[in-house]
Amino acid sequence: MSTPYPPEPWDLAGTGHLTTWAVPTSALPALPFSATPVTVRGRAIVSTAFVAYSAAGLMSYDELLAAVVVRHGRRVGLSITDIWVDSETSMLGGRGLWGIPKDLASFDGLAAGTEGGPIASASFTPRRVPGVPLPFPLRGSVVQTLGERTVANPIRASGRLRPAAAHWDLSPDGPLAWLRAGRPLTSVVAEDFRMRFGR
């Protein structure tokens, strides 16, 4: 019987709206047991993103995520603590292949919510400067818990980055309320990006 999602790797394409935050470590949700947050002056580095994947890649769907920069062994990677998509295929594949805790949500542009209420919304104003192409594909890893093991899954991304001013509205009763203890540092719009996820 075939699985209800494509095998890895997934080649995806689209546009991302990303913000980096500094968050007190005491506010962080649980991380994989053998991963520790990378900290600067007692604060962890967190990334949030609304991503719109297009039909130019394997699948077309919307996504909202929060990820903590972590150290896993000698390497540094991202651990996705919260993530929502509007594709059941993506949800099942993320969970089954890589241990990414995807849940379903509805999206309206840069806003996401569930039947339980709103999660978050954001507005981005790109700076009036040309997007800067990444000089080479960025390589990294996503560190998750899969089958009671901590696993690091490779990612590779390319595209153009444009600095932006951003404002996030995080529901005080929602699952991303822990981010309200932090402060945003920088924001960018990732234009025409492509990403290969998995082995």
Side-chain angles (χ1 to χ4, degrees), residues 45-135:
I45 303 167
V46 178
S47 179
T48 54
F50 275 99
V51 185
Y53 295 107
S54 73
L58 177 67
M59 286 184 283
S60 175
Y61 62 94
D62 288 327
E63 180 176 86
L64 166 64
L65 66 87
V68 180
V69 179
V70 297
R71 191 175 301 280
H72 178 235
R74 296 182 178 179
R75 297 185 178 183
V76 172
L78 288 173
S79 184
I80 299 173
T81 59
D82 303 272
I83 181 169
W84 297 266
V85 295
D86 61 359
S87 161
E88 185 174 7
T89 300
S90 174
M91 179 189 73
L92 294 174
R95 291 180 178 183
L97 291 171
W98 306 297
I100 298 174
K102 294 185 179 183
D103 284 315
L104 292 176
S106 57
F107 289 78
D108 182 9
L110 302 185
T114 66
E115 292 183 356
I119 301 169
S121 62
S123 60
F124 278 68
T125 304
R127 308 288 187 191
R128 293 186 176 181
V129 296
V132 178
L134 296 174

Side-chain angles (χ1 to χ4, degrees), residues 16 18 124-133 160-165 187-191:
L18 300 89
F124 278 68
T125 304
R127 308 288 187 191
R128 293 186 176 181
V129 296
V132 178
R160 295 196 315 271
L161 298 181
R162 179 176 293 186
S187 297
V188 298
V189 177
E191 304 171 326

Side-chain angles (χ1 to χ4, degrees), residues 77-80 98 100 140-144 151-155 197:
L78 288 173
S79 184
I80 299 173
W98 306 297
I100 298 174
S141 62
V142 171
V143 180
Q144 303 297 140
V151 295
N153 301 291
I155 56 173
F197 202 110

